[in-house]
Amino acid sequence: MGSVGLVTPQQMSFSEPLPLKSGAVLADYALSYETYGSLNAERSNAVLVCHALNASHHVAGVHADGSVGWWDNLVGPGKPLDTGRFFVVGVNNPGSCFGSTGPMHVNPATGRIYGADFPVCTVEDWVDAQARLMQRLGIEQLAAVVGGSLGGMQALAWTLRHPARVRHCVAVATAPNLSAQNIAFNEVARRAIVTDPDFHGGHFYAHGVVPRRGLRVARMIGHITYLSDDAMDAKFGRALRAAELGYSTQEIEFQIESYLRHQGDKFSEYFDANTYLLITRALDYFDPALECGGDLARAFAVARQHGFLIVSFSTDWRFSPARSRELVKALVDNRIAVSYAEIDAPHGHDAFLLDDPRYHGVMRAYFDRIAGEGMR
Amino acid sequence: MGSVGLVTPQQMSFSEPLPLKSGAVLADYALSYETYGSLNAERSNAVLVCHALNASHHVAGVHADGSVGWWDNLVGPGKPLDTGRFFVVGVNNPGSCFGSTGPMHVNPATGRIYGADFPVCTVEDWVDAQARLMQRLGIEQLAAVVGGSLGGMQALAWTLRHPARVRHCVAVATAPNLSAQNIAFNEVARRAIVTDPDFHGGHFYAHGVVPRRGLRVARMIGHITYLSDDAMDAKFGRALRAAELGYSTQEIEFQIESYLRHQGDKFSEYFDANTYLLITRALDYFDPALECGGDLARAFAVARQHGFLIVSFSTDWRFSPARSRELVKALVDNRIAVSYAEIDAPHGHDAFLLDDPRYHGVMRAYFDRIAGEGMR
């Protein structure tokens, strides 16, 4: 198994406006993307990888600055998603902050930076934008769409929104919608950002500041939900940073505090506050059953021609196995071919990013099956 | 079953300095407290109720302003903790913000408001302060100490710190210490408060402001951990506030957001920011096993003469039943008489404040037993 090696992101511009679910329109936008492997002559071996909250088009390989793709352990030559067989595409969603058009870019309609005026995007809007990119890359039909967490929601939405343009859906550590508790965590994070005086109503760019306090708190909250209680106890427990307690309310006493503050600090250096708001809202809104009166099985009736792999992790309390089983049930109710793996892993939601042999074994087997279906 | 009726808080001043676990000393402090029922001639029927994070000495009955005590459903004539039989005492802990000496009071050593300089108190320090109050009230030995959550930790600490001065410990919805995840939630809340520009290093009183943004976020985080995922889904689900989605990152879309913001707003109106820091730290520090090399059973060896009732709730994910079972095991290892009830309740951690018939049945039975032990 090797790395896809040095990768250079590409950029594609779109002049045709993208109509959004909200009724707004995104005009003159560009998408950053990367590709790994080669598109075969039949153009039948393309796999789209969708990213979650804080990731990007940089799925695999290494950038010139040394940064490694976020799913590099899964995607590469000889890896479970084998770039020797598949043409893999990673794309940064509009509204994100890693190269595609987003809140920090200039709104062509006003000549000013979008900021908080960037239109709210939904999972379906992203999928539409991705579909246009596939068209431009000459990919009429994807062999598969893959994603974890929010990326898994996009993979699911592909089968509903563009059923003829994708054959398989691989949705990992995801859910058919957010629970009230999920929304609650998002809302607290958003309030932390929005009420930071440096947010300036979302137009902080003009003030030369960044709402770092809010971003730090948002990221700390997020991190708690990404790890399992047990994984946190195993990794940090009640370990102290110093030999003795300092009896201070503001200084760091426990290692877990040090870890969280570090994660918050790092995040606030690179992530855009408006993007955080937009992406958590896309999570909140995703609910394919809504238009079918809450009947998830009816929502997936359109996906009868697809193959599905659903994967969940035993200690994921953000998107628990029970939520994945809802998806499996809706698919089974439609007599859709679905493979389901519930991986016993200690890491919580973050497990979908980690290199677990059972998890990767399941992924490898499923992609082997896709490859064997005669895409060549 | 009736109410204890109109109650007037009382105040007791202490001139003897209270030595704290940190090495600091609390001088010239006062404690607010309330009592319900009558102390019998033998002074053997006193029960101390310890409060959790945002509660106070106002346990039962009604104040002149109409506010009802936080455990009024449990404490009163004919109620599970029957004030017709027991003399019940509620006391506000030092460092809190409901009448006892705390960060918003003047430091006699400097003539200035304590603010962030109020000494960090531990559960053990509070128990020592409570013991002094009992002494002044003429109570040599308590029939029981009762508390839920952080209050339960104080009840446990009584048996270790003043074993001869209490006969029974009733610890509800509590834990032998905080997990890394528990500490993590506390730390995020603290960071939200401390990084609010209106916090002014904890000396905001002099600036005529309150770090409301931080307090709101802290309370919202807290509320998520008080409720179970299922209870939130049952109460709010994905219900929208308006008939249609507004596609906004900052306006309220879901009912759960409205609820959380309301809770945050209310809390920021009455709770002191420094108190929040102090009390969450007391939670973090509580760890009776620490001085026994992590051996909880050894820690409780001193409590062999006590009776214990431990109660947990099935959906409490803040202090899960597993944490209560750790306590039960440590007691059983010492052959201590312990009753344990794991109540199947949907409400999460908040269940300890609610009027659940099975829960209250267990509490009533245990207090009946104490009453029957010849305290009269």
Side-chain angles (χ1 to χ4, degrees), chain A residues 7-12 30-36 57 63 87 90 92 98-100 133 137:
Chain A
V7 189
T8 308
Q10 296 172 267
Q11 189 95 356
M12 186 84 82
L31 297 180
S32 288
Y33 67 100
E34 291 182 9
T35 69
Y36 324 100
H57 51 284
H63 281 178
F87 177 63
N92 190 218
F98 296 109
S100 294
L133 176 65
L137 295 177

Side-chain angles (χ1 to χ4, degrees), chain A residues 187 253 261 281 285, chain B residues 187 253 257 261 281 285:
Chain A
E187 173 68 0
E253 294 273 38
R261 288 199 201 180
R281 259 314 188 211
Y285 289 143
Chain B
E187 173 67 1
E253 294 273 38
E257 298 174 318
R261 289 199 200 181
R281 261 311 188 212
Y285 289 143

Side-chain angles (χ1 to χ4, degrees), chain B residues 257-288:
Chain B
E257 298 174 318
S258 176
Y259 169 79
L260 281 183
R261 289 199 200 181
H262 176 68
Q263 295 296 334
D265 287 347
K266 263 200 326 190
F267 190 69
S268 74
E269 296 293 324
Y270 74 82
F271 208 82
D272 178 73
N274 285 305
T275 292
Y276 202 93
L277 305 181
L278 287 166
I279 295 192
T280 54
R281 261 311 188 212
L283 273 160
D284 292 354
Y285 289 143
F286 182 68
D287 191 9

Side-chain angles (χ1 to χ4, degrees), chain B residues 13-324:
Chain B
S13 294
F14 297 81
S15 52
E16 194 195 344
L18 183 74
L20 305 174
K21 212 171 168 184
S22 65
V25 158
L26 188 61
D28 292 318
Y29 63 98
L31 298 178
S32 286
Y33 68 100
E34 291 183 9
T35 68
Y36 324 101
S38 306
L39 191 60
N40 61 11
E42 298 78 15
R43 299 171 177 269
S44 63
N45 69 332
V47 172
L48 172 66
V49 177
C50 305
H51 70 78
L53 200 150
N54 73 319
S56 71
H57 51 283
H58 185 30
V59 174
V62 187
H63 280 178
D65 67 2
S67 67
V68 178
W70 58 271
W71 227 351
D72 188 71
N73 59 25
L74 187 86
V75 179
K79 288 179 179 172
L81 176 43
D82 186 352
T83 52
R85 300 201 280 195
F86 292 100
F87 177 63
V88 178
V89 183
V91 54
N92 190 216
N93 288 324
S96 180
C97 52
F98 296 109
S100 293
T101 300
M104 69 295 299
H105 292 126
V106 171
N107 179 352
T110 65
R112 284 193 310 249
I113 291 175
Y114 275 111
D117 300 330
F118 194 86
V120 172
C121 294
T122 64
V123 166
E124 288 77 12
D125 297 331
W126 287 335
V127 162
D128 288 352
Q130 292 160 4
R132 284 190 180 180
L133 176 64
M134 295 308 113
Q135 198 78 46
R136 292 275 287 274
L137 295 175
I139 300 160
E140 276 298 323
Q141 191 184 56
L142 288 158
V145 186
V146 196
S149 192
L150 174 57
M153 292 175 175
Q154 294 160 58
L156 293 169
W158 260 91
T159 68
L160 308 179
R161 191 106 179 141
H162 303 287
R165 298 188 55 192
V166 56
R167 295 198 298 278
H168 290 271
C169 166
V170 179
V172 185
T174 193
N177 61 29
L178 293 202
S179 69
Q181 189 188 71
N182 292 147
I183 297 172
F185 278 119
N186 281 348
E187 173 67 1
V188 182
R190 281 191 296 262
R191 294 315 291 170
I193 291 170
V194 164
T195 63
D196 183 331
D198 285 339
F199 183 65
H200 293 288
H203 296 285
F204 50 88
Y205 315 94
H207 295 79
V209 293
V210 165
R212 282 195 212 290
R213 290 173 292 240
L215 278 166
R216 284 192 194 104
V217 167
R219 183 59 164 177
M220 290 170 83
I221 294 169
H223 253 277
I224 298 176
T225 69
Y226 303 151
L227 299 178
S228 72
D229 193 11
D230 285 350
M232 264 198 186
D233 270 333
K235 196 167 175 184
F236 305 103
R238 296 181 50 83
L240 296 174
R241 191 158 79 154
E244 299 213 326
L245 287 177
Y247 293 101
S248 163
T249 57
Q250 296 184 41
E251 298 303 313
I252 289 171
E253 294 273 38
F254 297 91
Q255 293 287 7
I256 180 66
E257 298 174 318
S258 176
Y259 169 79
L260 281 183
R261 289 199 200 181
H262 176 68
Q263 295 296 334
D265 287 347
K266 263 200 326 190
F267 190 69
S268 74
E269 296 293 324
Y270 74 82
F271 208 82
D272 178 73
N274 285 305
T275 292
Y276 202 93
L277 305 181
L278 287 166
I279 295 192
T280 54
R281 261 311 188 212
L283 273 160
D284 292 354
Y285 289 143
F286 182 68
D287 191 9
L290 187 64
E291 285 165 26
C292 298
D295 185 340
L296 194 62
R298 258 180 61 206
F300 276 99
V302 71
R304 289 211 171 112
Q305 302 309 312
H306 298 90
F308 282 83
L309 172 63
I310 309 286
V311 180
S312 71
F313 300 95
S314 54
T315 56
D316 183 352
W317 63 280
R318 184 180 172 88
F319 295 142
S320 73
R323 305 307 318 273
S324 278

Side-chain angles (χ1 to χ4, degrees), chain B residues 295-362:
Chain B
D295 185 340
L296 194 62
R298 258 180 61 206
F300 276 99
V302 71
R304 289 211 171 112
Q305 302 309 312
H306 298 90
F308 282 83
L309 172 63
I310 309 286
V311 180
S312 71
F313 300 95
S314 54
T315 56
D316 183 352
W317 63 280
R318 184 180 172 88
F319 295 142
S320 73
R323 305 307 318 273
S324 278
R325 279 185 241 121
E326 289 177 41
L327 287 167
V328 172
K329 184 179 183 311
L331 297 169
V332 169
D333 284 350
N334 282 298
R335 303 183 187 185
I336 293 171
V338 52
S339 302
Y340 175 55
E342 200 166 303
I343 308 289
D344 193 11
H347 310 97
H349 188 62
D350 263 1
F352 88 87
L353 295 167
L354 303 177
D355 184 1
D356 179 286
R358 282 173 293 188
Y359 162 42
H360 274 193
V362 166

